[in-house]
Amino acid sequence: MNKDKVIGVALAVLTLVIIILYVLKNTLLSNVNVNYVGLIFAIVLIMNAILVLILNPKKQNKLFVSRPIGYGLTINPRNPIGILIYVLLILFIFLITV
């Protein structure tokens, strides 16, 4: 699968997750207090890590690599310190949103 297809699939999955969260917010979870902004932010972080794992070469073990979408650098989850940073960020977001 080439880079454009992977990015398209990732954006489609993110869009579906946001639509499902919006529908659940207005139906089943209408009485539940959930921080949807934090939840969406955590999902975006997870998807960014997955995209970096899929699109960047396996031998690249630097802490910062080029972003799969857009310009700039992102943390490499193939690096042990990078995966630790991702896990800590996602746990931090879940602790804030609770």
Side-chain angles (χ1 to χ4, degrees):
M1 200 183 288
N2 66 9
K3 183 177 181 177
D4 292 334
K5 286 184 182 179
V6 171
I7 292 171
V9 169
L11 290 176
V13 168
L14 180 63
T15 304
L16 286 174
V17 167
I18 290 173
I19 290 171
I20 290 170
L21 283 174
Y22 183 74
V23 169
L24 287 176
K25 176 184 163 223
N26 292 326
T27 56
L28 296 174
L29 300 177
S30 61
N31 295 330
V32 179
N33 188 12
V34 178
N35 186 350
Y36 291 99
V37 174
L39 189 60
I40 291 171
F41 188 64
I43 291 170
V44 168
L45 270 176
I46 292 169
M47 289 185 70
N48 184 41
I50 292 171
L51 281 175
V52 171
L53 282 173
I54 292 172
L55 296 176
N56 280 346
K58 292 182 181 179
K59 298 191 183 223
Q60 197 171 23
N61 203 15
K62 298 185 243 175
L63 182 59
F64 293 104
V65 294
S66 62
R67 293 179 50 92
I69 300 174
Y71 301 105
L73 298 174
T74 188
I75 300 168
N76 186 5
R78 292 189 193 278
N79 189 320
I81 296 172
I83 194 70
L84 179 67
I85 292 171
Y86 268 115
V87 168
L88 290 176
L89 278 173
I90 292 168
L91 287 175
F92 180 69
I93 290 169
F94 279 129
L95 289 175
I96 288 175
T97 58
V98 175

